[in-house]
Amino acid sequence: MSIKKSILIRVRVAFLLVCLFACAIVYKVVHIQFLQGDKWKSISKERRIFYKPVRATRGNILSDNESILATSLPFYRVAFDPTVAKAEVFNASVDSLALLLSRFYGDRSEDYYRRKMINARHSGRRYIRLNSRQINYQEKKRMAHWPIFRQGKNRGGVIFEKVEKRFKPFGLLAERTIGFINEDKNGAGLEYSFNGQLTGTDGEALFERIAGGSKPIYDGTEVKPQHGYDIKTTIDINLQDVAENALYKSLQKTDADYGTVILMEVKTGEIKAMANLGKTKGGYIEDYNYAVGSQGRTEPGSTFKLASMMALFEHHPEVNLTDTIDTGDGRYRIKNTTMTDAKINGYGKITVQQVFEKSSNIGVAKLMEQYFGNEQQVYVDYLNKFGLNSPLGFQMEGEARPYMKDPQDKNWYGTTLTSMAIGYELKLSPLQTLAFYNAVANNGVKIQPIIVKEIRQVDEVVQSFETRVLNEKICSEETLKKLKAMLEGVVEHGTARNIHSTDYKIAGKTGTARKVKNGRYVREYSTSFAGYFPADNPKYSCIVIIDNPRGVNVYGSDVAAPVFKELADKAYARDLAIHKPMRARVVPDKESLPLAKAGSFEDLKMIYNTLGISTHLGAADEDWVKVEPKRRSLEFKPNPVLRNKVPDVVGMTLRDALFILGNQHLNVDVQGAGKLVRRQSIAPGTDINEDKTITIILG
């Protein structure tokens, strides 16, 4: 066979195969289109229509007075179905709409938006997102009146896709306490701890897949979402603000690593403020909840001496505050270590009360050796009885578990008893220490702190949380009496006398604990102050921790105690219920009266009532009065100002005298110096002639 004939046969075979393949394609198209058309249309419709969840609105987080700490605000993305609007409406308004979009977003030209919408309409695209930027509700309302958009979704094609954002009206206030939760359901604070209540239940709606996305179909089958519950916290936003500001100033001043403050009501266990600030390159922010979490769990130092003294008084009630202990020259050898006191050359022989007031490590260590040296398990059993080895069961996730040694442990050494007694070789979170101090303030009743009081659905309370008693009586009344005297003594005479107040009593204890790095104690400190106020009728308990302050003064009294005092002052000033009533002042005679002895009835009445001076209102109908003493009170006597008669201004302030005399058209000559009118040159009641001058002498 010739080469030419062979090539021709091959071409014919190839052509035949191509024709057969083309016929097969045509057959298949006809078969699918006409014979199986209904089947594939049905499948297409089923896959184009689908159910999609509709997110529930997250609940609010409220303060104790129901101010909003965190809420969800609606934001929107603007999408558009350009095929919906009628041709005449679209063509007449697309230029105006493009101009408005360009001006509003400010990122693209008018021509860009016009071409985007026209091209999508010509190509039959039923969904385009005009801009990815989210707009707020007010902006959405304004957009809804724009050309084409004003026709609505069904006739104009505008689609406002709702997106909810978490918003905190008070900004960074209590940021870590409020917390957060991310898309992976990880988070912190109240947002994470109460996520189940805040989230609600998602609904469901029918959506249609279209080019570029999907859009909802409202056919009556949609299931409405059940919005999340609100949670009402115990946080007082004013006290929270004071706590954060006081803490921030101290951290900045000392260049510390972090700090935390907790303020709690003694009787209720309600936390009124919880501030946490950590150091970053940009300053201090709420980066972690040191008050509750494991990173804030540290060796408490001298604030733990309260627990040691409680154990001592419980096991040996015969020990009195006036008993003495010789602390020596400030150095005490225990096994292979040397314990020291803060004072060079030591405190010598001092009382048990002074051991606590001066925070003598040696004094506490010697007491523990003397009374628990052969009963070390008994000491630890007391700590366990006080609940210091157990978590509090706090409402927020991430509560640190206390670390407490036991004599049976392998790492219980010969120095462990004395180390634990002064707050080392154990770890507590600030909240656990505060709960213990609060029990002393609460007459021995140890309660569980709470930060969430109610869960609500609108105005209906779904669940409420009451204070739970953890220990009905943490110690005896006799022990409590001794402990309270020592805690007050710390502020009156001891390490915290720099925060002594003349307005109210403070009870508390300073703490300065050396920190451990790489298994060794270094010269870095965790400083603290824990206590309560007013000491004679406790309303609030509070703890302040300042970690690793830098500078000359790095003790708890210098760093943490002033923060406590600032917060206590503000809390005391705004809570009138805990103020002591002022005693009424007795007016024995004329000379002891306050300065003004005559003047406006309303002004004088306000002054004397404010001073707590008893008055008789016999001249209640008079505008101007004189004040006279009557037994143990004051009596207002009428001092009328008559027309065309010289008034009596003796005893009045210069301001009142000038006012009255000027209204009587008298020329006034003022002589002397002083605050009150002592004499006047024209007798009261004298007829007033034109251009008459009266001289008043001050004294």
Side-chain angles (χ1 to χ4, degrees), residues 183-302:
E183 294 180 356
D184 298 325
K185 304 301 180 185
N186 297 319
L190 295 171
E191 292 276 20
Y192 178 71
S193 303
F194 287 84
N195 183 50
Q197 293 87 344
L198 290 166
T199 299
T201 304
D202 292 342
E204 193 177 56
L206 202 60
F207 282 75
E208 179 184 5
R209 287 189 178 91
I210 56 178
S214 62
K215 69 175 185 178
I217 300 172
Y218 298 101
D219 63 348
T221 63
E222 58 270 6
V223 178
K224 291 184 177 181
Q226 296 180 2
H227 300 313
Y229 295 137
D230 298 337
I231 62 172
K232 181 181 178 180
T233 72
T234 61
I235 295 293
D236 183 312
I237 54 175
N238 295 310
L239 294 176
Q240 178 72 28
D241 188 41
V242 172
E244 290 191 16
N245 284 332
L247 180 62
Y248 181 77
K249 287 186 294 185
S250 180
L251 292 173
Q252 275 201 319
K253 181 180 178 180
T254 60
D255 192 30
D257 288 347
Y258 72 81
T260 184
V261 176
I262 314 171
L263 181 72
M264 183 166 70
E265 279 191 352
V266 170
K267 300 296 182 185
T268 65
E270 295 182 6
I271 292 177
K272 292 300 172 185
M274 182 182 285
N276 297 279
L277 293 174
K279 187 179 182 181
T280 64
K281 291 182 179 179
Y284 290 95
I285 62 171
E286 289 226 351
D287 60 342
Y288 184 80
N289 195 335
Y290 300 100
V292 179
S294 57
Q295 289 187 35
R297 186 187 68 166
T298 61
E299 292 177 309
S302 293

Side-chain angles (χ1 to χ4, degrees), residues 48 50 52 76-85 90 105 112-113 115-134 149 153 156-163 207-218:
R48 193 174 73 248
F50 66 99
K52 183 178 178 181
Y76 303 87
R77 291 192 184 97
V78 183
F80 186 45
D81 182 349
T83 67
V84 170
F90 184 87
Y105 288 114
Y112 168 83
Y113 284 105
R115 282 188 287 102
K116 183 173 184 175
M117 291 184 287
I118 290 174
N119 291 341
R121 182 178 175 91
H122 288 167
S123 62
R125 290 182 62 190
R126 299 184 58 189
Y127 177 92
I128 57 171
R129 183 170 289 169
L130 294 174
N131 198 291
S132 59
R133 192 187 110 189
Q134 297 174 8
F149 286 4
K153 183 184 65 159
V158 64
I159 303 169
F160 292 109
E161 298 175 333
K162 187 176 179 182
V163 179
F207 282 75
E208 179 184 5
R209 287 189 178 91
I210 56 178
S214 62
K215 69 175 185 178
I217 300 172
Y218 298 101

Side-chain angles (χ1 to χ4, degrees), residues 407-427:
Q408 309 304 319
D409 295 340
K410 293 181 179 179
N411 60 349
W412 183 277
Y413 309 114
T415 58
T416 297
L417 172 65
T418 51
S419 292
M420 286 183 65
I422 61 173
Y424 289 93
E425 296 193 42
L426 58 97
K427 290 184 179 181

